Amino acid sequence: MPSICAFCTTNRATILRPSTRSRLCTPCFISALEREVHELITSPPPSPFSKTPSPPLYPPNCRIAIGASGGKDSTVLASILHALNDRYKYNWTLCLLSIDEGITGYRDDSLKAVGQLGERLGLQWRVVGFGELYGWTMDGVVKERGREGVKKGGKGGSCSYCGVWRRQALDRGVGVLEAEEGWGGEGPWRLVTGHNADDVAETVMMNLLRGDSPRLSRCTQISTLTPPPPSQSHPPTSTPLFSTPQRSKPLLQTFEKEIVLYAHHRRLPYFSTECIYSPDAFRGSARALIKNLERVRPQAVLDLVRGGAVLGACVPGVDLGRCAEGEGEGFGGCGGGEEKVEGDGEGKEVEITMEGLGIGPTKSRETRADVVPLPARLKGKSGKGVAAGKPLAGAQKLAACERCGYLTSQRVCKACVLVEELNRGRAKVEVDGEK
């Protein structure tokens, strides 16, 4: 006997939602996914350990730049925001912002899908390329340094360059939009990306495997803000200086499988081919591990996100909600939930902490009395107690890059360091050739 939709109780159920395990018909599934994204936008979870409700991510009349790669995530995000804007009359000014890394046979084809999406939704579209920003394309980087990484200096593979540059290029792209005319609207700019719960779980796993605890807090936030760098003299650049838009991930509670289902039933055009250089990425190893965990326990994706948020909030000296440069692949959204911890004593403390993180308690029915609680104070080198949450010696201090003005914890940002490294190698080849 065919199953009936659990929501409308009329139509035949055609979809089993991975997140809730409920059986829905196609119209109810589309409506439910759009409604959940809308609730997250209008009532985002508060900052960690903050009792103050967070304001809506996108106020009426604001301008939203959608990071569009042509893939399923950004395509679905653009479609949902466009539908919500029409339905609730927010008067948002939506546009598509694409980054052309210069990967022949991959990015040029995916940009065609972005163009089709823009025509379908009636959205303006802007492309910013690595070549115009840094003087290098990813094809040029791979030709110069090799696909498997910089073996001479051990600096990492091609994804290390692409991740750092792409993140910075999005900020530069919003700066280009602010400087140009004809985009409409007068409100503040917002930058949105299509990172979903699976993406953030992969990022959490990568940071755990690398022992990079400070990034756990940043990668699990729904919204982050790159603060403007302090006034500091630096050489003028050929393109507008960086904007400081608020970044957010409206799909942070959405499973990747649900995004694919939405795109399929909405008949959205998207590009599904994997980057030709991505097999060399460390993220692929984390993804394979998570997929194996998900086969055994589907909730492992959201559990990883919640665990990363809790651990990240316990790291001292981290400014939650801020983006620093050089995060490369390590940024994304977080997963939410409305789950509950049962038990007394330490179990209640965990519940309060997770609610303060805006990710809800967990469904775990197990409570252990032998779990050692986290210490309230940490020991510094001198042996004196250091209050949790206060910066330790050597904590990151953000300032403007001396060369490009981008926010960084070093004198020169990582993007400029990578460009200088490549230019130095190119100059050496030219000198040797003259000889």
Side-chain angles (χ1 to χ4, degrees):
M1 180 177 180
S3 301
I4 302 299
C5 175
F7 187 78
C8 66
T9 66
T10 302
N11 299 327
R12 177 178 178 179
T14 57
I15 297 173
L16 176 64
R17 293 197 66 179
S19 57
T20 62
R21 311 303 296 175
S22 57
R23 300 179 184 275
L24 302 176
C25 62
T26 299
C28 288
F29 167 73
I30 293 176
S31 176
L33 193 62
E34 293 177 349
R35 182 175 61 254
E36 291 170 1
V37 173
H38 181 250
E39 291 175 354
L40 188 63
I41 290 174
T42 55
S43 301
S47 300
F49 307 115
S50 173
K51 297 181 180 179
T52 305
S54 300
L57 292 178
Y58 318 124
N61 303 315
C62 75
R63 296 180 287 182
I64 302 177
I66 305 171
S69 64
K72 61 184 184 306
D73 300 318
S74 58
T75 299
V76 168
L77 175 60
S79 176
I80 291 178
L81 290 180
H82 183 266
L84 296 178
N85 193 28
D86 290 343
R87 186 177 306 159
Y88 296 100
K89 309 302 180 183
Y90 285 126
N91 198 29
W92 294 330
T93 300
L94 303 177
C95 67
L96 304 176
L97 175 61
S98 299
I99 306 300
D100 183 5
E101 302 93 341
I103 304 176
T104 305
Y106 168 70
R107 182 56 67 201
D108 47 357
D109 292 335
S110 68
L111 290 178
K112 296 178 182 178
V114 180
Q116 295 175 4
L117 177 66
E119 293 178 359
R120 173 169 175 168
L121 301 180
L123 301 180
Q124 291 182 288
W125 178 34
R126 183 65 160 88
V127 181
V128 180
F130 278 5
E132 63 179 290
L133 295 178
Y134 308 110
W136 285 86
T137 64
M138 284 310 302
D139 285 344
V141 172
V142 172
K143 182 179 179 180
E144 174 73 19
R145 311 301 277 170
R147 280 191 58 167
E148 298 181 357
V150 188
K151 297 183 178 179
K152 298 179 181 178
K155 296 285 185 179
S158 57
C159 291
S160 299
Y161 290 84
C162 186
V164 174
W165 287 352
R166 182 177 176 81
R167 177 175 181 80
Q168 192 182 99
L170 285 171
D171 284 341
R172 283 197 174 190
V174 176
V176 170
L177 296 178
E178 290 180 342
E180 294 179 347
E181 298 180 356
W183 293 100
E186 297 180 354
W189 279 98
R190 297 288 189 267
L191 177 62
V192 298
T193 56
H195 294 88
N196 55 54
D198 295 67
D199 296 329
V200 186
E202 294 168 7
T203 303
V204 170
M205 180 65 72
M206 291 166 59
N207 290 331
L208 289 174
L209 293 175
R210 291 186 297 209
D212 196 347
S213 55
R215 285 185 184 170
L216 289 174
S217 60
R218 296 196 294 268
C219 75
T220 52
Q221 293 299 302
I222 177 178
S223 178
T224 55
L225 176 65
T226 303
S231 57
Q232 180 175 336
S233 60
H234 51 80
T237 57
S238 58
T239 57
L241 291 181
F242 302 96
S243 175
T244 56
Q246 175 183 318
R247 289 169 171 261
S248 55
K249 285 84 60 175
L251 301 181
L252 84 173
Q253 293 181 355
T254 308
F255 279 66
E256 184 178 34
K257 294 178 180 178
E258 294 184 343
I259 291 175
V260 174
L261 289 172
Y262 184 95
H264 172 72
H265 290 287
R266 278 287 196 186
R267 301 181 183 274
L268 297 175
Y270 67 89
F271 186 74
S272 58
T273 303
E274 189 178 20
C275 174
I276 58 177
Y277 302 135
S278 63
D280 304 326
F282 178 47
R283 181 176 289 271
S285 301
R287 180 181 296 115
L289 178 58
I290 292 175
K291 292 303 180 185
N292 290 332
L293 293 173
E294 191 178 6
R295 292 189 186 98
V296 180
R297 191 169 186 272
Q299 290 297 320
V301 172
L302 293 181
D303 289 342
L304 275 172
V305 175
R306 295 188 184 98
V310 173
L311 291 175
C314 297
V315 177
V318 174
D319 192 356
L320 298 176
R322 282 191 174 188
C323 292
E325 63 87 20
E327 291 190 6
E329 297 176 308
F331 71 96
C334 69
E338 297 181 357
E339 304 175 336
K340 182 179 180 181
V341 168
E342 295 185 352
D344 299 324
E346 295 172 2
K348 290 183 178 179
E349 294 180 0
V350 172
E351 181 176 356
I352 294 173
T353 300
M354 296 182 73
E355 288 179 349
L357 288 167
I359 56 177
T362 146
K363 268 185 182 175
S364 174
R365 303 292 180 182
E366 300 179 1
T367 55
R368 293 180 52 185
D370 59 340
V371 175
V372 180
L374 291 172
R377 298 177 68 83
L378 303 174
K379 295 294 183 180
K381 294 183 178 179
S382 62
K384 297 181 179 180
V386 180
K390 290 187 177 181
L392 296 176
Q396 288 186 347
K397 295 182 180 180
L398 302 180
C401 172
E402 294 181 354
R403 299 185 181 178
C404 69
Y406 193 68
L407 197 68
T408 177
S409 58
Q410 308 295 329
R411 292 177 56 251
V412 180
C413 71
K414 192 171 183 179
C416 289
V417 170
L418 294 176
V419 172
E420 180 184 11
E421 182 181 87
L422 291 168
N423 290 337
R424 188 184 300 121
R426 174 187 287 173
K428 183 177 184 302
V429 171
E430 292 177 353
V431 171
D432 292 342
E434 291 177 358
K435 291 181 180 180

